[in-house]
Amino acid sequence: MQSKIDISLPKVLVLGTGGTIAGVSTAHPAQAGYRAGALDIAALVAAAPGIEQLANLQAEQIASIDSKDMGAAVWVQLAGRIRDGLQQGDVAGCVVTHGSDTLEETAYFLHCVLPAGKPVVLTAAMRPATALSADGPRNLYDAVQVAACLQARGLGVVCVLHGRIHSACDVSKAQPTAVDAFSSGERGPLGFVGVQGVQITRQLPSQPPGPLPQTPWQPPRGSWPRVELVHSHAGADGAVVRALMQASQSGDPSHKLAGLVVLGTGSGTVHEQLQTALDEAEAAGIRVAYASRVGALSGGDFDGLNAIKIRIRLMLELAAATG
Ligand code: ASP
């Protein structure tokens, strides 16, 4: 869908993938029940008053899902469409509407595989489109402001929610129901957006853990390397790791394990029995990376990334290594 064109305005590509921002209540609008991904992206654009005065919008539907069901197939589709779109000289930036549950995963994936040039902005909502005081229209409006903004270039992929501009590297969903559900932890947001326009207050320090070796990025020719998350906790005895190893050695290629990301306690410490199993996995050629279940750790190979993003990074690195 292409809105009426005003040649004085920048052009922004708006891609819909579903989520609560496109959700429709199945009960009274003040109650919780709703179906995510029910409305198409044209309806979301139409529900954001004044958005057509910010940019000429080209709206396209990529998927219509609850983002709890997100996976690599949609990531690859998004990456391809965004790269093609941004290569057009007249396109200033791109907005992706997404569910909030896995927003940080899609954002970080795109951050790793796309060049950090024109703005790529993900947004979401905590309330469905039909709710009282729905937050989606405002978030979408703000996301378009950022996508059309020259100052937002070179920041990598960002997420715009509740008036804040977060780096894909730092952001995580930190609260299950509040409208202000996203946080960039101690690093804080990259800036703010609202009636005052766009304000960038800090730059991305570096791109942890550095650009992918393969540019331009290509998806794996076969299946993605399997990287699983395991937790350390009271009584963690390594049985989960051994079960994964057993499945991996069963000969079924879909169970072949390539990596493990460990959500350790506190500063990344691991129960001694789980550690024994992890050492066995590493000796068998499985890549093991350590994170914390408390939040992102500073320093090391994955500086500032939480476990879920380290998993994505490992998938990308292992896929690049195997071709
Ligand atoms: N389950 C929804 C989703 O991630 C939640 C949301 O969008 O807020 O698609």
Side-chain angles (χ1 to χ4, degrees):
M1 181 215 98
Q2 168 88 61
S3 53
K4 215 168 84 214
I5 291 175
D6 175 344
I7 52 163
S8 66
L9 293 176
K11 182 168 168 184
V12 169
L13 185 61
V14 185
L15 305 177
T17 68
T20 295
I21 192 168
V24 168
S25 307
T26 50
H28 184 278
Q31 291 167 349
Y34 68 94
R35 189 162 59 86
L39 297 176
D40 67 17
I41 189 64
L44 304 193
V45 167
I51 202 168
E52 69 289 344
Q53 286 156 31
L54 298 173
N56 294 313
L57 302 178
Q58 182 173 332
E60 295 174 17
Q61 201 71 38
I62 298 290
S64 295
I65 58 173
D66 186 317
S67 79
K68 71 182 176 57
D69 302 322
M70 185 55 66
V74 176
W75 289 347
V76 169
Q77 211 187 330
L78 274 174
R81 183 63 193 101
I82 295 169
R83 184 185 303 133
D84 290 350
L86 296 185
Q87 269 168 6
Q88 290 167 27
D90 63 338
V91 174
C94 177
V95 169
V96 179
T97 61
H98 198 284
S100 66
D101 286 343
T102 59
L103 180 95
E104 71 209 66
E105 295 183 52
T106 301
Y108 184 66
F109 172 85
L110 294 172
H111 183 82
C112 289
V113 303
L114 293 170
K118 295 177 182 175
V120 176
V121 184
L122 272 72
T123 193
M126 293 300 290
R127 294 178 179 151
T130 49
L132 291 175
S133 302
D135 51 332
R138 176 85 226 191
N139 283 344
L140 180 56
Y141 184 96
D142 286 346
V144 171
Q145 288 201 73
V146 174
C149 174
L150 286 176
Q151 262 183 293
R153 291 189 175 199
L155 295 175
V157 173
V158 296
C159 300
V160 166
L161 301 134
H162 202 62
R164 299 197 184 93
I165 305 166
H166 299 275
S167 162
C169 299
D170 302 331
V171 75
S172 62
K173 187 172 179 180
Q175 216 285 341
T177 51
V179 174
D180 188 8
F182 285 81
S183 166
S184 285
E186 291 185 359
R187 290 186 173 173
L190 297 178
F192 301 90
V193 54
V195 283
Q196 77 285 6
V198 177
Q199 278 177 284
I200 304 298
T201 51
R202 80 171 171 91
Q203 295 294 315
L204 195 60
S206 60
Q207 189 188 346
L212 279 172
Q214 190 195 10
T215 327
W217 179 79
Q218 293 295 333
R221 277 193 292 273
S223 53
W224 282 85
R226 175 178 283 274
V227 179
E228 294 287 349
L229 296 164
V230 291
H231 275 76
S232 188
H233 50 79
D237 62 1
V240 170
V241 173
R242 292 200 176 91
L244 286 167
M245 292 298 293
Q246 209 177 356
S248 179
Q249 285 151 6
S250 70
D252 179 342
S254 70
H255 290 159
K256 193 167 165 17
L257 188 65
L260 288 168
V261 180
V262 190
L263 288 104
T265 35
S267 60
T269 49
V270 175
H271 193 296
E272 58 185 0
Q273 291 178 22
L274 173 58
Q275 188 65 62
T276 303
L278 292 168
D279 292 344
E280 289 164 15
E282 211 161 4
I286 307 302
R287 177 102 180 259
V288 181
Y290 292 89
S292 169
R293 65 185 202 180
V294 177
L297 297 174
S298 296
D301 289 347
F302 302 106
D303 182 26
L305 296 179
N306 65 18
I308 202 81
K309 293 178 195 172
I310 295 175
R311 173 178 175 268
I312 292 167
R313 185 72 196 187
L314 271 194
M315 286 169 67
L316 286 164
E317 287 183 9
L318 290 163
T322 51

